[in-house]
């Protein structure tokens, strides 16, 4: 007969053990306290695994075929058969207790799981109460077997699904014919079992698959039993089952459908997570409308799934990104909770609110976690009833004033995501207080978010600003409407309440009847006894006397939170923008970065109309001290340039903000700059001139701006960027050929400029670009303006070796002819001489042309100074001769005679120099030209050209350099011409690298130019001296440090900012401890 005739129940357990198990309530018994003969029987029969399987099949057949009367007869026969019921229950307890022994063999594990399944299946037969088969301890032992699921899954995951080793002792290889003495020894001694536990034996994949299959069947049986008996009277067992099943919801989440379906056929479900949710659902919904106590317990157990923690104890946030399986577990738990809420409706208001509040307060302090948790919270809140939703919104408003920063950050995160939702939940219940409904409106949400933008904790302020940027980029019309009201607030004194006054000294409002902001809210999960309605500004920068300005109480009225520095007299274009601008000046990088994103969003929101000031702020932060902010500023400008390619302010901000970052100290910032320039300029030049696109138009606009005199310095930056792009193989190889197609179009000037930048970088040139360039110069050079000539000559210099010999000779003859006319623009002479030198070298010619030109220049200057050709016409030509002499002498210094050097020295004579006896010529023998020069009767441009010429000559003549350095230093003290001063500073600093000792005594004269009235002289001096300090050609001696650090408070804004950046980024890193060594100078400066 079923159960009575089962072999496993007829096993002769010692009567003492049976009584111990029975009398002890199935607790505190030793599984090894059996005779050796019984152990032999167990081992020989592999712990009756086959008997358990056969019994399970019979029980399933009975469940399917037996009537209620037949089941009752079965249980009555067991009850009348002596101690059969006792024997069955003690045997089940003995075998199920093996689940707790991790050192048991696979056969023992399998037998214990099957015994637990048999017990649960027996409970599904009607009428078992006559033998009191259901026992809380025995039931708990049976469900404890499910804990092996986690063990099996961890072993399988550890070995990639193919477990090779385990802490379990495998039965594979155990022979049935093993000697009984060996089996008795293994079973008799518990210590031997513990010793075996330290051995890692093989556990094959079939073993894992078999154990898992039995555990799934046990879980199916438990769910089916709960459908019959949802443990209504066993509250403690219900909580244990929910806690255990909750741990199983994280196993194999991918095998469960995303939508929870409680009506599924349990026997067909093989997903462990799905079966666990089914069991929890049955217990929670065992009463009509749901059991509040059980739902509360389930929510508490499932809370860890929402937090998405990892690790063995699921108490640690993921180190990098949240694993996909962990996110899937959260999604499945969310779907289950939503189903419970829809099924139970308003009866679970308190447990649901407590779940949401607990999850929010327990959220890990990681941005990715906050985003995922906030998304889940909003989904749950959408399923709440109107009253619960309003209470939750009010609690979130209180959370935004929470004393802990983590709570305020979560409130800002949730507010931001609520604001950008397309369809915010509408409150239809008219019985709810209007004050409570106000907490659900977008205006109040946005107002609370703006308040946190002035939080004193940087992380809270940064998160609030990030969420504000999200709102500014939202496409929802209602959000745009409220954002617009904050960006352009219309404030009028007549709208203020009588009790509200304005503090003109502090700059913000004083609300005498406002809430007490000195108190701190202690936030607990909703409906906790410790919840308070007090307000706080724990995170506010405003102070206790500045909360908000209340407007009229009508529906059309608004409230506007004021922040530090707000001025009531600001125009409509200020307000929120002024607050964000102040956040840009925060000492914390995280706040500045978030404010930068908000400012970018505001510019986009206003369609970049009259936002030049804000663009300038973003541009300034391209040189911010923090690397992330510099990268964000570059990214913001690139984004704005993409959106507004026709806005000249945006183009200017991008050029002057991004390009200077090419030499940033941080490589990642450099790469950001290079990538931006590459994607904007070099990748948008079409191969042919016939096409036209918005990107191409943008390229020509940018190049046209770079061609202006004001932005001419950017050309050198573009060249440096090209060098880096070429080194990293990111510069298009066909760019020269593409640009050569545009030199006859309306964009010829811009094309020549790009050619002059890219050609010196590339080593190979495709197509016939060199021939095109040569023909353009020979045919159109007379019609080119000076800037284009410089670009073309630079291009010719780079392409000299790639031109044909005939073209080179033609250009050589043309250049020599042009130079000997001495009518070429002074700015073009340098480029012509360099191009001529390269062409001569490529052609294999000598440098005799230099000597010819030097001789010709010497003759001309001698005739003017010592001859009769001294008149205004000839003097006006002298700068051309001097500049040409300075350029050609660099290519062949030997060709310059001593007489020519003396002639140039004569042109530097001044009355005060002559009084000290340092003049080159004696006063009695001075020609009229020298006399006029000494008296200052000759034009200033002549002296400028002379200083420039002799500076280049000094680079090749040491003796001349040592004679000229004192004269140039004297010029710095006496001259009133800023051009001469800038040139002299540049020359002396260049000579310092060659003749350091000769320049040393005159550093004081150079540093005095840092206080010059002309900003250009200050800038040139500061940059030149900084380069010498960086290369260790100069030391902090004398008054140099004092004059240098005084530049930080220079009246010229550019010099002051340049000094700050230089000291922080360059000098502080190279000269450690310079501030402590020069502490007094720092105080005085």
């Amino acid at each position: 007969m079923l159960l009575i005739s089962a072999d496993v129940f007829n096993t002769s357990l010692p009567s003492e053990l049976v009584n111990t198990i029975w009398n002890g309530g199935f607790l505190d018994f030793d599984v090894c306290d059996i005779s050796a003969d019984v152990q032999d029987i167990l081992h020989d029969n592999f712990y009756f695994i086959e008997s358990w399987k056969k019994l399970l099949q019979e029980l399933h057949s009975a469940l399917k075929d037996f009537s209620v009367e037949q089941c009752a007869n079965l249980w009555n026969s067991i009850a009348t058969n002596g101690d059969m019921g006792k024997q069955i229950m003690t045997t089940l307890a003995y075998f199920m207790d093996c689940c707790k022994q991790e050192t048991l063999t696979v056969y023992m594990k399998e037998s214990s799981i099957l015994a637990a399944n048999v017990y649960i299946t027996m409970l599904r037969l009607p009428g078992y109460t006559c033998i009191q088969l259901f026992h809380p301890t025995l039931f708990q032992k049976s469900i404890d077997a499910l804990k092996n699921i986690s063990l099996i899954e961890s072993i399988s995951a550890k070995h990639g699904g193919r477990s090779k080793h385990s802490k379990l002792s495998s039965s594979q290889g155990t022979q049935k014919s093993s000697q009984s003495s060996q089996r008795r020894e293994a079973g008799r001694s518990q210590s031997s079992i513990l010793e075996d536990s330290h051995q890692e034996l093989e556990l094959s994949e079939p073993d894992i698959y078999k154990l898992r299959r039995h555990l799934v069947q046990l879980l199916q049986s438990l769910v089916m039993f709960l459908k019959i008996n949802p443990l209504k009277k066993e509250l403690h067992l219900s909580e244990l089952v929910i806690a255990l099943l909750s741990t199983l919801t994280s196993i194999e989440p991918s095998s469960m459908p995303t939508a929870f379906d409680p009506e599924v056929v349990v026997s067909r479900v093989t997903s462990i997570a799905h079966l666990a949710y089914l069991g929890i659902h049955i217990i929670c919904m065992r009463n009509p409308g749901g059991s509040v106590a059980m739902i509360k317990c389930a929510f508490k157990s499932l809370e860890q799934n929402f937090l998405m923690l990892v690790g063995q104890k699921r108490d640690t946030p993921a180190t990098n990104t949240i694993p996909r399986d962990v996110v899937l577990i959260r999604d499945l738990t969310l779907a289950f909770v939503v189903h419970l809420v829809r099924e139970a409706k308003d009866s679970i208001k308190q447990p649901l609110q407590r779940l949401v509040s607990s999850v929010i307060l327990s959220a890990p302090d990681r941005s990715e976690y906050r985003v995922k948790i906030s998304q889940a919270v909003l989904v749950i809140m959408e399923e709440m009833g109107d009253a619960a939703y309003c209470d939750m919104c009010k609690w979130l408003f209180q959370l935004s004033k929470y004393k802990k920063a983590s709570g305020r950050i979560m409130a800002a995160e949730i507010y931001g995501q609520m604001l950008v939702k397309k369809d915010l939940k509408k409150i239809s219940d008219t019985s709810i207080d209007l004050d409570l409904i106000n907490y659900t409106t977008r205006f109040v949400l946005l107002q609370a978010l703006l308040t946190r933008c002035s939080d004193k904790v940087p992380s809270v302020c940064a998160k609030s600003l990030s969420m504000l940027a999200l709102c500014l980029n939202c496409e929802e019309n209602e959000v745009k409407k409220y954002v617009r009201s904050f960006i352009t607030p219309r404030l009028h004194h007549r709208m203020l309440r009588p009790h509200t006054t304005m503090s003109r000294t502090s700059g913000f409002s004083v609300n005498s009847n406002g809430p007490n902001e000195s108190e701190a809210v202690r936030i607990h999960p909703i409906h906790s006894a410790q919840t308070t309605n007090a307000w706080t500004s724990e995170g506010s920068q405003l102070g206790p006397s500045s909360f908000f300005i209340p407007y009229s109480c009508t529906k059309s009225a608004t409230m506007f939170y004021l922040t530090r520095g707000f001025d009531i007299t600001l125009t409509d274009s200020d307000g929120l923008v002024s607050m964000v601008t102040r956040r840009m000046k925060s000492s914390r990088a995280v706040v500045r970065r978030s404010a930068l994103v908000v400012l970018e969003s505001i510019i986009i929101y206003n369609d970049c109309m009259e936002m030049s000031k804000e663009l300038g702020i973003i541009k300034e932060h391209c040189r911010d001290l923090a690397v992330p902010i510099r990268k964000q500023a570059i990214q913001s400008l690139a984004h704005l340039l993409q959106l507004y390619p026709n806005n000249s302010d945006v183009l200017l901000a991008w050029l002057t903000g991004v390009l200077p970052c090419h030499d940033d100290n941080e490589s990642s910032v450099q790469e950001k700059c290079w990538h931006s320039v590459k994607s904007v300029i070099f990748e948008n030049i079409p191969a042919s001139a016939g096409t036209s696109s918005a990107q191409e138009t943008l390229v020509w606009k940018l190049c046209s701006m770079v061609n202006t005199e004001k932005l001419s310095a950017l050309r050198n930056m573009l060249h440096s960027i090209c060098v880096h792009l070429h080194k990293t193989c990111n510069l298009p190889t066909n760019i020269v050929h593409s640009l050569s197609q545009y030199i006859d179009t309306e964009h010829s000037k811009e094309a020549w400029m790009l050619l002059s930048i890219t050609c010196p970088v590339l080593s190979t040139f495709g197509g016939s670009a060199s021939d095109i360039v040569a023909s353009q110069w020979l045919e159109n050079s007379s019609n080119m303006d000076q800037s284009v000539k410089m670009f073309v000559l630079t291009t010719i210099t780079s392409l000299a070796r790639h031109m044909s010999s005939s073209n080179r000779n033609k250009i050589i003859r043309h250049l020599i002819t042009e130079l000997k006319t001495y009518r070429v623009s002074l700015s073009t002479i340098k480029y012509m001489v360099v191009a001529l030198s390269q062409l001569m070298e490529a052609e294999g010619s000598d440098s005799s042309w230099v000597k010819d030109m030097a001789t010709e220049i010497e003759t001309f200057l001698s005739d003017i100074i010592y001859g009769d050709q001294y008149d205004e016409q000839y003097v006006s030509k002298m700068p051309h001769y001097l500049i040409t002499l300075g350029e050609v002498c660099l290519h062949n210094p030997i060709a310059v005679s001593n007489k020519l050097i003396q002639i140039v020295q004569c042109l530097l004579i001044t009355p005060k120099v002559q009084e000290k006896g340092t003049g080159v010529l004696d006063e009695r023998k001075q020609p009229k030209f020298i006399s006029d020069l000494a008296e200052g009767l000759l034009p200033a441009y002549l002296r400028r050209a002379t200083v420039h010429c002799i500076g280049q000559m000094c680079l090749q003549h040491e003796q001349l350099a040592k004679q000229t350095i004192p004269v140039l230093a004297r010029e710095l003290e006496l001259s009133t011409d800023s051009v001469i001063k800038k040139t002299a500073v540049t020359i002396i600093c260049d000579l310092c690298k060659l003749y350091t000792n000769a320049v040393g005594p005159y550093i004081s004269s150079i540093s005095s130019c840092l206080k010059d009235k002309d900003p250009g002289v200050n800038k040139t001096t500061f940059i030149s001296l900084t380069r010498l300090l960086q290369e260790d050609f100069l030391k902090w001696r004398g008054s140099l440090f004092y004059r240098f650090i005084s530049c930080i408070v220079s009246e010229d804004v550019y010099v002051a900012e340049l000094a700050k950046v230089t000291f922080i980024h360059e000098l502080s890193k190279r000269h450690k401890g310079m501030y402590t060594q020069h502490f007094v100078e720092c105080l005085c400066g």
Side-chain angles (χ1 to χ4, degrees):
M1 189 176 181
L2 181 62
L3 297 178
I4 298 177
S5 61
D7 295 339
V8 65
F9 295 136
N10 294 318
T11 303
S12 299
L13 292 177
S15 58
E16 295 83 1
L17 181 61
V18 171
N19 292 330
T20 301
I21 296 173
W22 183 265
N23 295 332
F26 308 104
L27 298 172
D28 300 329
F29 61 89
D30 188 359
V31 294
C32 297
D33 191 14
I34 55 178
S35 64
D37 294 335
V38 175
Q39 287 189 17
D40 290 340
I41 295 174
L42 292 177
H43 281 282
D44 291 339
N45 291 278
F46 299 104
Y47 281 80
F48 296 96
I49 289 176
E50 296 301 326
S51 298
W52 289 122
K53 291 179 180 178
K54 181 179 178 182
L55 184 57
L56 272 175
Q57 292 178 356
E58 293 176 352
L59 287 172
H60 288 150
S61 299
L63 286 170
K64 183 179 180 180
D65 301 331
F66 278 23
S67 62
V68 176
E69 184 178 355
Q70 288 175 312
C71 293
N73 293 334
L74 171 63
W75 295 117
N76 289 330
S77 62
I78 294 175
T80 56
N81 192 357
D83 293 335
M84 189 61 193
K86 179 180 179 180
Q87 184 70 24
I88 291 174
M89 296 177 70
T90 54
T91 302
L92 288 169
Y94 176 83
F95 280 96
M96 283 190 294
D97 213 46
C98 295
C99 276
K100 299 180 180 180
Q101 305 298 325
E102 295 184 1
T103 57
L104 298 179
T105 64
V106 173
Y107 290 136
M108 298 172 72
K109 280 288 184 184
E110 186 178 2
S111 178
S112 63
I113 295 171
L114 289 171
N117 196 355
V118 167
Y119 178 71
I120 297 296
T121 307
M122 290 169 61
L123 292 176
R124 293 165 57 193
L125 290 172
Y128 62 82
T129 53
C130 64
I131 65 167
Q132 297 181 347
L133 180 64
F134 182 83
H135 192 281
T137 304
L138 205 57
F139 182 79
Q140 184 175 347
K141 286 180 179 292
S142 66
I143 63 175
D144 282 346
L146 293 172
K147 295 178 180 179
N148 289 281
I149 294 178
S150 300
L151 176 63
I152 297 299
E153 291 298 326
S154 63
I155 294 173
S156 179
K158 182 179 179 181
H159 299 286
R162 296 184 178 182
S163 180
K164 295 183 179 180
H165 297 86
S166 171
K167 294 181 180 179
L168 296 173
S169 300
S170 176
S171 64
Q172 301 299 320
T174 303
Q175 302 295 328
K176 190 175 181 179
S177 59
S178 299
Q179 298 180 3
S180 60
S181 59
Q182 295 175 344
R183 293 195 302 270
R184 283 195 299 271
E185 184 180 359
R188 190 178 300 114
S189 177
Q190 179 68 20
S191 62
S192 65
I193 295 177
L194 293 175
E195 291 175 358
D196 292 340
S197 67
H198 297 288
Q199 301 177 1
E200 288 191 356
L201 302 178
E202 290 188 358
L203 183 63
S204 64
E205 187 175 354
D207 287 338
I208 295 179
Y209 175 76
K210 179 170 53 178
L211 291 176
R212 186 191 181 283
R213 180 165 49 86
H214 292 323
L215 288 168
V216 170
Q217 291 174 354
L218 172 60
L219 188 55
Q220 289 175 339
S221 298
L222 176 62
V223 174
M224 293 177 184
F225 166 72
L226 292 175
K227 282 192 172 184
I228 300 171
N229 181 9
L231 305 176
K232 289 184 178 182
K233 298 180 180 180
E234 302 290 343
L235 180 62
H236 177 64
L237 284 180
S238 299
E239 293 176 349
L240 287 177
V241 172
I242 289 176
L244 177 60
L245 293 179
S246 297
T247 62
L248 302 181
T249 57
S250 60
I251 296 176
E252 294 184 351
S254 57
S255 61
M256 178 180 172
T258 54
F260 178 74
D261 182 12
E263 303 300 329
V264 69
V265 179
V266 177
S267 59
R268 296 179 181 177
V269 179
T270 58
S271 169
I272 294 175
H274 197 177
L275 290 169
Y277 281 119
L278 288 172
I280 296 173
H281 177 265
I282 292 170
I283 296 177
C284 290
M285 302 307 297
R286 61 190 182 186
N287 294 331
S291 172
V292 176
M294 291 300 99
I295 291 176
K296 180 180 178 180
C297 178
F299 285 170
K300 183 177 180 180
S301 300
L302 294 172
E303 181 181 330
Q304 292 297 319
N305 291 356
F306 286 105
L307 298 179
M308 298 174 288
L309 300 176
V310 297
Q312 188 174 2
K313 297 182 179 181
R314 299 184 66 189
D315 57 353
T316 307
T319 53
N320 297 319
T321 58
I322 305 177
R324 180 183 297 180
D325 286 346
V326 178
V327 177
L328 182 58
I329 292 171
R330 183 214 64 166
D331 295 339
L332 295 176
T333 306
L334 180 60
F336 174 73
V337 170
V338 168
H339 179 85
L340 278 183
V341 173
R342 291 175 179 174
E343 195 169 352
K345 298 181 180 179
D346 291 338
S347 61
I348 59 170
K349 172 185 175 181
Q350 293 186 6
L352 187 61
Q353 289 180 329
R354 188 172 185 86
L355 168 67
V356 173
S357 57
S358 180
V359 167
I360 291 174
L361 294 177
S362 304
D365 192 16
R366 285 268 304 279
S367 178
E368 187 178 5
Y369 277 89
R370 288 192 291 264
V371 171
K372 297 291 184 182
I373 291 174
S374 299
Q375 291 171 351
V377 166
L378 292 181
V379 172
I380 296 175
M381 287 179 63
E382 285 293 327
E383 300 298 329
M384 290 180 175
D386 289 349
Y389 181 80
C390 293
D391 288 340
M392 198 71 235
C393 289
K394 180 180 179 181
W395 183 85
L396 286 174
F397 191 83
Q398 293 176 339
L399 183 66
S400 68
K401 303 286 184 178
Y402 188 29
K403 63 180 180 180
K404 290 186 178 180
S406 58
R408 303 201 297 275
I409 293 176
M410 278 301 300
E413 181 73 50
I414 296 173
Y415 275 151
Q417 295 194 26
M418 288 178 71
L419 284 166
V420 299
K421 283 179 66 69
K422 185 176 182 180
D423 298 318
L424 198 61
K425 186 179 178 67
K426 302 296 183 181
I427 305 302
S428 57
D429 190 349
T430 57
S431 62
I432 301 176
D433 188 5
L434 290 178
D435 292 338
L436 198 59
I437 295 177
N438 285 336
Y439 289 106
T440 67
T441 61
R442 274 196 169 92
F443 179 78
V444 172
L445 298 178
L446 184 59
Q447 191 180 56
L449 184 61
L450 283 171
T451 307
R452 290 305 98 212
C453 291
S454 297
D455 199 282
K456 70 177 182 181
V457 177
S459 56
V460 181
C461 183
K463 172 55 69 173
S464 302
L465 289 168
S466 299
M467 291 297 102
L468 178 59
L470 196 66
C471 297
L472 289 167
N473 296 329
C474 179
E475 297 297 330
E476 184 65 25
N477 291 330
E478 189 175 358
V479 178
K480 286 185 176 182
K481 178 182 68 175
Y482 288 124
V483 169
R484 171 62 63 185
S485 67
F486 281 101
I487 290 181
T488 57
R490 300 186 179 277
L491 305 178
H492 301 283
H493 291 286
R494 60 181 177 83
M495 297 180 65
L496 299 177
R497 290 181 180 179
H499 66 262
T500 303
T501 60
M502 296 303 302
S503 174
R504 292 296 182 183
T505 57
S506 60
F508 47 75
S509 66
V510 178
N511 188 350
S512 58
N513 294 338
N516 182 9
E517 295 206 329
S518 62
E519 299 180 9
V521 174
R522 299 181 61 189
I523 296 292
H524 301 277
I526 285 186
H527 298 289
S528 171
Q530 301 184 34
T531 302
T532 177
N533 290 327
W535 299 94
T536 183
S537 64
E538 174 70 21
S540 177
Q541 292 180 339
L542 308 183
S545 63
S546 58
F547 186 53
F548 58 82
I549 296 180
Y551 280 24
S552 174
C553 295
T554 60
K555 291 185 178 180
S556 60
T558 60
M559 284 184 185
F560 185 78
Y561 281 73
L562 301 182
T563 55
R564 184 179 298 278
F566 185 89
D567 185 1
I568 197 67
T569 62
L570 288 177
T571 61
D572 289 347
S573 60
D574 294 314
L576 177 62
V577 179
S578 62
M579 181 271 291
V580 176
T581 304
R582 288 189 292 276
R583 298 291 85 77
M584 295 284 289
K585 298 178 181 178
S586 171
S587 61
R588 301 303 295 268
V590 64
V591 177
R592 296 200 303 274
R593 186 179 185 277
S594 299
L596 189 62
V597 176
V598 176
L599 196 59
E600 175 194 351
S601 301
I602 291 175
I603 293 173
I604 297 173
Y605 190 86
N606 287 317
D607 204 20
C608 203
M609 296 176 61
E610 298 181 359
M611 303 295 288
S612 57
K613 181 180 178 182
E614 288 71 24
L615 287 169
I617 294 174
I618 297 179
K619 182 194 71 175
E620 290 173 2
H621 281 76
C622 288
R623 285 297 188 181
D624 195 277
L625 300 181
V627 173
I629 298 176
R630 299 203 296 271
K631 294 167 67 175
Q632 180 61 51
I634 294 173
Q635 181 178 335
S636 298
L637 289 175
H639 185 214
L640 292 172
L641 183 66
Q642 181 182 3
L643 294 177
Y644 306 104
N646 298 320
N647 190 298
S648 59
D649 291 335
V650 175
L651 270 63
L652 181 62
W654 185 85
L655 286 172
T656 56
V658 175
L659 266 61
C661 295
H662 74 284
D663 60 348
D664 195 276
N665 292 333
E666 181 64 32
S667 58
S668 60
V669 178
Q670 291 180 355
E671 292 173 0
K672 196 85 172 176
C673 169
W674 301 340
H675 176 73
S676 181
V677 174
K678 173 193 169 186
S679 59
V680 172
I681 296 179
F682 297 113
E683 289 185 347
N684 292 324
I685 301 175
S688 60
T691 59
S692 179
S693 62
Q695 292 80 6
E696 179 189 353
T697 304
L698 175 61
V699 172
W700 302 131
K701 286 183 178 180
L702 291 171
C703 293
S704 177
M705 296 180 72
V706 174
N707 272 333
T708 59
E709 184 65 25
K710 185 179 179 181
L711 302 178
S712 59
L714 298 179
R715 292 199 286 268
N716 294 331
M717 300 179 187
L718 273 177
H719 174 72
S720 299
I721 293 171
C722 283
V723 172
H724 292 295
L725 292 177
H726 179 62
K727 287 181 179 179
T728 56
C729 301
N730 287 320
L731 190 65
T733 56
N734 65 336
I735 189 170
V736 173
H737 176 72
S738 300
L739 289 171
S740 64
Q741 307 300 313
Y742 287 88
I743 57 180
D744 279 332
T745 65
E746 58 181 336
H747 305 298
S748 60
K749 186 175 181 179
E750 292 78 13
W752 281 119
M753 188 268 289
L754 290 177
L755 279 171
S756 68
I757 290 173
T758 56
C759 285
V761 175
L762 299 172
S763 56
T764 58
F765 307 93
S768 57
S770 58
D771 295 332
I772 296 176
V773 172
S775 62
Q776 283 291 324
W777 173 258
L778 295 172
E779 295 173 5
N780 303 319
S781 60
S782 58
N783 299 324
M784 296 178 180
D785 58 27
Q786 301 305 321
S787 60
V788 174
K789 277 188 178 181
M790 290 188 292
F791 300 147
V792 178
L793 289 168
T794 304
T795 307
I796 290 174
T797 303
S798 304
L799 299 176
R801 296 183 181 276
H802 301 273
M803 291 182 180
S804 63
S805 179
S806 60
N807 283 336
R808 275 199 298 265
N809 289 323
K810 291 178 182 178
I811 297 176
I812 289 172
R813 290 192 297 270
H814 184 273
L815 289 177
I816 292 177
T817 304
E818 287 287 325
L819 284 171
K820 289 187 175 182
T821 61
Y822 300 103
R823 296 177 181 175
V824 182
S825 171
L826 296 178
S827 59
T828 313
I829 294 175
K830 173 185 176 181
Y831 298 93
M832 295 183 72
V833 172
V834 173
L836 181 58
S837 175
Q838 290 295 320
L839 290 168
M840 286 288 192
E841 183 180 347
E843 194 62 25
S845 303
D846 56 18
S847 56
S848 59
W849 62 278
V850 177
K851 187 174 183 180
D852 295 340
M853 295 195 71
T855 303
E856 187 176 344
I857 294 172
E858 180 182 343
T859 303
F860 177 80
L861 294 178
S862 298
D863 291 343
I864 294 179
I865 296 175
Y866 304 112
D868 336 345
Q869 298 182 3
Y870 172 46
D871 58 26
E872 185 177 351
Q873 180 180 359
Y874 284 97
V875 171
S876 64
K877 293 183 179 180
M878 288 182 67
H880 293 80
Y881 283 85
L882 290 171
I883 298 297
T884 305
L885 174 61
E887 297 297 337
V888 298
C889 73
L890 295 175
H891 300 278
N892 188 5
I894 303 176
V896 181
S897 65
N898 293 331
K899 181 181 178 181
L900 186 55
I901 294 176
Q902 291 178 357
I903 291 174
V904 176
Q905 284 181 312
C906 290
L907 299 177
L908 277 180
I909 199 168
T910 61
K912 292 196 175 183
V913 171
Q914 191 178 7
E915 285 174 7
K916 293 194 174 184
T918 57
V920 180
L921 298 177
D922 187 82
E923 187 176 6
R924 292 170 297 176
K925 300 179 182 180
Q926 287 182 1
K928 186 176 183 304
F929 176 86
I930 298 298
S931 301
D932 291 349
L933 181 63
E935 294 296 331
L937 300 178
L938 295 181
Y941 62 77
L942 180 59
R943 193 167 191 80
R944 296 172 186 171
T946 304
V947 173
H948 179 85
C949 176
I950 202 168
Q952 290 178 308
M953 295 172 69
C954 288
L955 295 175
Q956 306 293 337
H957 296 81
E958 181 178 358
Q959 189 63 32
L960 175 63
K962 292 181 178 180
Q963 293 176 357
T964 307
I965 288 173
V967 180
L968 294 177
R970 188 68 170 169
E971 286 291 331
L972 296 178
E973 298 177 1
L974 301 179
S975 178
T976 57
D977 192 324
S978 60
V979 177
I980 292 178
K981 283 188 174 183
K982 288 190 288 185
T983 307
V985 167
T986 304
I987 292 171
I988 296 176
C989 290
D990 287 342
L991 293 176
C992 184
K993 299 178 182 180
L994 298 175
Y995 319 110
T996 307
N997 293 333
V999 176
Y1002 304 100
I1003 293 299
S1004 177
S1005 299
I1006 302 174
S1007 61
S1008 64
C1009 293
L1010 292 171
K1011 293 295 185 179
D1012 196 88
K1013 297 180 180 179
D1014 186 83
V1017 177
N1018 298 343
K1019 174 185 172 183
T1020 302
T1021 307
F1022 188 88
I1023 294 174
S1024 300
L1025 291 177
T1026 300
R1027 289 173 179 171
L1028 293 178
L1029 287 166
Q1030 287 177 316
E1031 299 175 15
D1032 290 333
F1033 288 107
L1034 202 59
K1035 303 297 181 183
W1036 294 117
R1037 293 175 182 171
S1039 60
L1040 179 60
F1041 187 85
Y1042 170 75
R1043 289 176 174 175
F1044 227 71
I1045 202 168
S1046 298
C1047 293
I1048 294 179
V1049 293
S1050 173
E1051 296 180 358
D1052 185 76
V1053 178
Y1054 181 87
V1055 175
E1057 290 299 324
L1058 179 63
K1060 291 178 184 178
V1061 172
T1062 302
F1063 268 100
I1064 295 172
H1065 288 283
E1066 306 292 343
L1067 300 179
S1068 297
K1069 297 178 181 178
R1070 184 150 187 97
H1071 301 276
K1072 304 291 185 181
M1074 65 177 179
Y1075 298 114
T1076 55
Q1077 295 171 5
H1078 302 274
F1079 183 70
V1080 176
E1081 289 93 329
C1082 291
L1083 292 179
C1084 297

